Amino acid sequence: MTKETMKAVGLYKYLPIEDPESLLDVEVEKPVPAGRDLLVKVRAISVNPVDYKVRSPKNREESEPKILGWDVAGVVEQVGPEVTLFRPGDEVFYAGSITRPGGNSEFHLVDERIVGMKPSKLDFAQAAALPLTSITAWESLYDRLGISRNKDDNEGKTILIIGAAGGVGSIATQLAKYSGLTVIGTASRPESADWVTGLGADHVINHFEAFLPQLKAAGWEQVDYILCLNSTEKHWSNMAEAIAPQGKICSIVETDELLNLTLLKNKSVTFVWELMFTRSTYQTPDMIEQHNLLNELARLVDDGVLRTTTNETLKPINAANLRKAHAMLETGRTVGKVVLEGF
């Protein structure tokens, strides 16, 4: 029996994005769901820094096309025999797992425990912008920094979000403001500062200048929380100066440099990492929390509390448009999210 195939965008060689072979249009076998997997018909995807980090040049070749993509909005086509949370026809959104083939394909397999129902008020392109950045922002604020979701608990408390105009920052700014925090974002250009203010930030400072003098000029001696979404090592001493005694710092950005943790000792500051793939990679007992938070996020979107961060949509989903999207992200100057729609 002939096996069904599907369109996808993948790579065999890890090349600079300017190389036309860095991402290729390919045909691969259509997968079949087993266990708790959903087979999703992909309607829209978005691109994140993890895509170009995985694709970045290295001396390795793949025998089968490696498929990237960790933001999907689509429709459940089939379900595995152990699925209990979804059924065919459900409109869903999710980020998937870094240990499995990505979502840059016509159909995609994903564990139901990391999938949410798509916000009903958003189209697929708008929804595809949200999962990875929203899970990262949510886990950073509520799981890693331990911020309460009760506004009364956060009265008078401040958070500094470094890189607030990017994908994660755009969601974190909205969530932090909704949780009752005073939000100070960083941005370096007028258009990115305007974007951050439009998302609800109370104040914007420039991340290319020392933090503390800017904070003091605006009326703050220190901040209770810091969420670092850009260049952990570059901002390390600035963060150590700006954080309040017994404050908390979370970063999502890996570093090759050694961080001087002693800078945080006298203030008894907590430092914690966030990676939204941890739960799916290690199949943690609380893996289903990503299903729960995506459903809660969809409710907040449908209630008008949060808005999508789509800023540019490319059609269709193909290698040429994905190369264009990767190149845009690699500049480090994108505002909001780049989305691709339709095969």
Side-chain angles (χ1 to χ4, degrees):
M1 190 173 74
T2 306
K3 292 182 177 178
E4 279 191 82
T5 62
M6 63 177 180
K7 294 178 183 176
V9 177
L11 62 85
Y12 291 96
K13 300 176 182 178
Y14 296 84
L15 300 165
I17 198 60
E18 297 79 21
D19 192 310
E21 291 192 16
S22 59
L23 291 170
L24 299 165
D25 293 308
V26 297
E27 288 266 340
V28 295
E29 188 178 326
K30 181 181 174 182
V32 177
R36 298 192 72 171
D37 279 345
L38 310 176
L39 179 68
V40 175
K41 182 174 177 59
V42 176
R43 297 286 298 276
I45 59 173
S46 75
V47 182
N48 297 282
V50 64
D51 293 75
Y52 68 74
K53 289 176 183 176
V54 173
R55 195 218 76 245
S56 63
K58 53 183 77 72
N59 288 322
R60 196 167 83 225
E61 283 195 34
E62 303 291 345
S63 57
E64 299 291 329
K66 184 174 181 65
I67 298 171
L68 311 177
W70 292 281
D71 258 336
V72 173
V75 180
V76 176
E77 178 99 348
Q78 285 178 259
V79 299
E82 296 170 29
V83 166
T84 60
L85 302 173
F86 297 94
R87 60 188 178 191
D90 284 343
E91 296 184 350
V92 296
F93 73 146
Y94 59 89
S97 167
I98 196 76
T99 62
R100 305 181 72 175
N104 295 347
S105 53
E106 279 189 282
F107 296 90
H108 186 234
L109 285 183
V110 62
D111 190 300
E112 65 170 345
R113 289 170 290 180
I114 55 175
V115 177
M117 295 292 284
K118 180 181 78 67
S120 60
K121 291 187 178 178
L122 298 185
D123 62 27
F124 287 101
Q126 293 168 326
L130 291 172
L132 186 144
T133 54
S134 297
I135 295 168
T136 303
W138 189 289
E139 291 184 349
S140 295
L141 296 176
Y142 305 128
D143 296 342
R144 312 297 172 228
L145 291 172
I147 293 169
S148 172
R149 293 182 59 205
N150 182 343
K151 292 181 181 180
D152 293 340
D153 294 338
N154 296 322
E155 190 173 346
K157 292 183 179 178
T158 50
I159 184 168
L160 175 64
I161 300 176
I162 300 168
V168 177
S170 296
I171 299 295
T173 296
Q174 296 181 75
L175 286 175
K177 191 64 185 170
Y178 175 66
S179 299
L181 291 161
T182 295
V183 181
I184 305 148
T186 80
S188 59
R189 293 171 290 135
E191 58 268 37
S192 52
D194 288 346
W195 173 267
V196 173
T197 302
L199 292 171
D202 297 282
H203 191 73
V204 179
I205 66 172
N206 191 322
H207 43 239
F208 291 128
E209 299 173 15
F211 294 171
L212 200 55
Q214 294 182 82
L215 290 170
K216 286 184 175 180
W220 294 287
E221 292 295 318
Q222 57 204 8
V223 292
D224 299 292
Y225 304 102
I226 296 176
L227 176 55
C228 181
L229 309 174
N230 176 272
S231 299
T232 304
E233 70 285 349
K234 186 171 77 175
H235 300 300
W236 188 249
S237 59
N238 267 322
M239 290 193 286
E241 281 185 351
I243 194 69
Q246 301 183 96
K248 295 181 179 181
I249 299 171
C250 175
S251 178
I252 70 166
V253 187
E254 67 278 12
T255 174
D256 292 328
E257 296 182 24
L258 292 175
L259 299 176
N260 182 7
L261 285 171
T262 304
L263 291 179
L264 309 181
K265 183 178 185 297
N266 284 356
K267 291 183 183 176
S268 298
V269 168
T270 297
F271 175 70
V272 64
W273 292 110
E274 156 62 14
L275 179 66
M276 58 78 51
F277 290 123
T278 297
R279 282 170 160 149
S280 57
T281 297
Y282 296 99
Q283 302 278 298
T284 60
D286 66 348
M287 186 168 152
I288 200 167
E289 286 306 312
Q290 290 193 348
H291 164 74
N292 296 333
L293 76 83
L294 283 170
N295 282 345
E296 177 65 7
L297 185 92
R299 185 188 68 78
L300 292 174
V301 170
D302 286 338
D303 288 349
V305 173
L306 299 178
R307 65 180 174 91
T308 184
T309 53
T310 303
N311 205 28
E312 181 153 2
T313 303
L314 305 175
K315 298 179 183 180
I317 302 169
N318 61 22
N321 278 332
L322 268 165
R323 287 196 298 270
K324 181 179 177 181
H326 277 229
M328 291 166 68
L329 255 70
E330 286 187 17
T331 67
R333 294 169 68 87
T334 51
V335 173
K337 291 296 294 290
V338 181
V339 174
L340 291 86
E341 185 177 20
F343 273 93

